[in-house]
Amino acid sequence: MNLTGKFTLQNWPDRPEIATQEGKNKLIGLWLFLGGETVLFATLFATYLALKNRVPDSSHPLTQDLYSLPLVFAMTAVLLTSSLTSVYAIYHMRNYNFKAMQAWFAITVLLGFTFLCLEIYEFFHYVTDFGHTFRSSAFGSAYYFLVGTHGAHVIFGLGWITGLLIRNAKRGLNLYNAPKYYCASLYWHFIDVVWVFIFSVVYLMGMV
Amino acid sequence: MAKDIQYRLKKNREEMRIQFISFGLMAFLTIISFLAVGLGFPASFVIPFLLLLAIIQVLFQFYYFMHAKDEGHEFPMSFMYGGIFTAFLMILAFCTIIWW
């Protein structure tokens, strides 16, 4: 099979991401990586839960003073919507509609970038208005390490998808790059999975 | 257009409709969890409630958005459940047997 040749809807496979052995291997590899990422984030969640609100004296802000519902809700809405837009992209990939797939992935990148801007604003607000920094308390270290690692994953995901969009802009869709797009979308969904626990365990439980 | 292509497009459209419904449910669960905190219910109710809603949302992500319900995902999901089991043990240890 010529992987990089021209395809049409007629000879495009039903599930292009696993039509080749390479695609199947990539899928298994990426899921194994996500299993490892689950453990990585578990260590950070465990550290955060153990060190939550552990501050040296009463001049330091606690979860109740810091977090605000509207900002976290906006961040959650943006990231959850970006998960849906990458599902649309994969839908168009299976229908061999390259332009629509690129467009939906581009919207995903824009939403991810909006999320990142909100997170940078949030950290800036905590540092300048509350003096809540990475070094100010054990609580600060655990908080920034957990939420910051998630933010770093968002940056990496944005770079990954943007790279695919640019590299394949003139190539079009084929069986060589379809698994690449599919893996990037799985990684993007995993970022949203981690965020579900961050907004529930860190923010909402911090405000109860 | 050939019949099998039409069938495939229809099947994909049907799957996209289910994905969109799961997105609606996830958005609904998110709003419910924010409301539970915003309306000030007691912590003894809100904390287990939030955890339950988070787990349901994550299952939607895995099985619908990440296509784990499709065939051939038994092996990948064994990695995920292995990771989740380790995660559970880690959090249990840090929250119970470690003290400061």
Side-chain angles (χ1 to χ4, degrees):
Chain A
M1 190 163 23
N2 181 12
L3 300 187
T4 54
K6 267 283 166 209
F7 285 88
T8 60
L9 190 56
Q10 272 71 28
N11 63 4
W12 186 242
D14 199 18
R15 291 184 60 195
E17 69 275 7
I18 51 163
T20 60
Q21 188 60 44
E22 187 183 343
K24 285 186 184 128
N25 292 346
K26 276 197 170 117
L27 194 77
I28 290 280
L30 194 95
W31 277 102
L32 184 57
F33 166 70
L34 294 183
E37 290 268 280
T38 308
V39 179
L40 165 78
F41 276 103
T43 61
L44 299 177
F45 270 106
T47 313
Y48 173 81
L49 288 170
L51 296 175
K52 181 182 169 187
N53 285 342
R54 302 285 168 162
V55 292
D57 58 60
S58 58
S59 70
H60 290 261
L62 300 180
T63 53
Q64 302 275 9
D65 313 313
L66 288 168
Y67 305 154
S68 83
L69 273 182
L71 180 65
V72 179
F73 186 74
M75 289 164 82
T76 306
V78 168
L79 205 63
L80 184 62
T81 311
S82 82
S83 216
L84 178 75
T85 56
S86 71
V87 168
Y88 269 110
I90 294 301
Y91 164 68
H92 288 297
M93 183 183 93
R94 288 182 171 177
N95 285 346
Y96 197 67
N97 188 342
F98 178 66
K99 285 220 167 80
M101 181 190 78
Q102 292 275 90
W104 281 107
F105 269 127
I107 296 170
T108 307
V109 168
L110 278 180
L111 288 168
F113 186 71
T114 311
F115 173 85
L116 204 60
C117 291
L118 288 172
E119 187 155 82
I120 290 168
Y121 161 76
E122 186 199 12
F123 286 0
F124 182 77
H125 171 63
Y126 293 165
V127 170
T128 52
D129 297 345
F130 290 96
H132 178 63
T133 68
F134 197 89
R135 294 171 63 185
S136 65
S137 62
F139 167 48
S141 308
Y143 168 80
Y144 285 112
F145 201 11
L146 169 59
V147 183
T149 304
H150 176 266
H153 278 73
V154 174
I155 296 175
F156 184 79
L158 289 179
W160 186 351
I161 299 176
T162 311
L164 284 177
L165 290 181
I166 295 170
R167 180 67 185 90
N168 296 306
K170 286 186 182 150
R171 267 182 181 166
L173 191 56
N174 53 43
L175 287 182
Y176 169 67
N177 57 27
K180 292 172 185 272
Y181 278 104
Y182 188 81
C183 285
S185 94
L186 279 187
Y187 180 79
W188 193 257
H189 289 308
F190 183 76
I191 291 174
D192 198 38
V193 165
V194 174
W195 182 256
V196 168
F197 280 103
I198 291 184
F199 88 71
S200 302
V201 173
V202 175
Y203 292 103
L204 292 181
M205 285 188 196
M207 279 184 274
V208 173
Chain B
M1 205 183 287
K3 254 213 166 85
D4 57 329
I5 300 283
Q6 270 176 351
Y7 169 72
R8 209 169 93 192
L9 291 179
K10 190 171 161 248
K11 202 175 59 144
N12 286 350
R13 205 161 42 237
E14 181 61 21
E15 177 160 348
M16 195 58 233
R17 202 176 64 87
I18 294 169
Q19 309 263 37
F20 191 78
I21 293 170
S22 44
F23 170 77
L25 283 171
M26 281 155 71
F28 176 70
L29 293 179
T30 305
I31 291 168
I32 297 273
S33 36
F34 275 83
L35 276 181
V37 173
L39 296 177
F41 285 105
S44 57
F45 164 73
V46 172
I47 289 174
F49 184 65
L50 287 176
L51 284 177
L52 179 71
L53 293 192
I55 290 167
I56 298 173
Q57 281 210 51
V58 164
L59 289 178
F60 269 114
Q61 281 275 358
F62 282 160
Y63 283 93
Y64 288 92
F65 279 18
M66 294 165 89
H67 307 280
K69 65 172 173 43
D70 295 355
E71 59 178 328
H73 279 79
E74 298 80 12
F75 208 38
M77 285 319 276
S78 72
F79 300 146
M80 286 316 286
Y81 284 115
I84 290 167
F85 178 66
T86 315
F88 173 74
L89 285 185
M90 192 109 58
I91 289 166
L92 188 70
F94 271 62
C95 292
T96 53
I97 59 172
I98 291 183
W99 63 95
W100 310 91

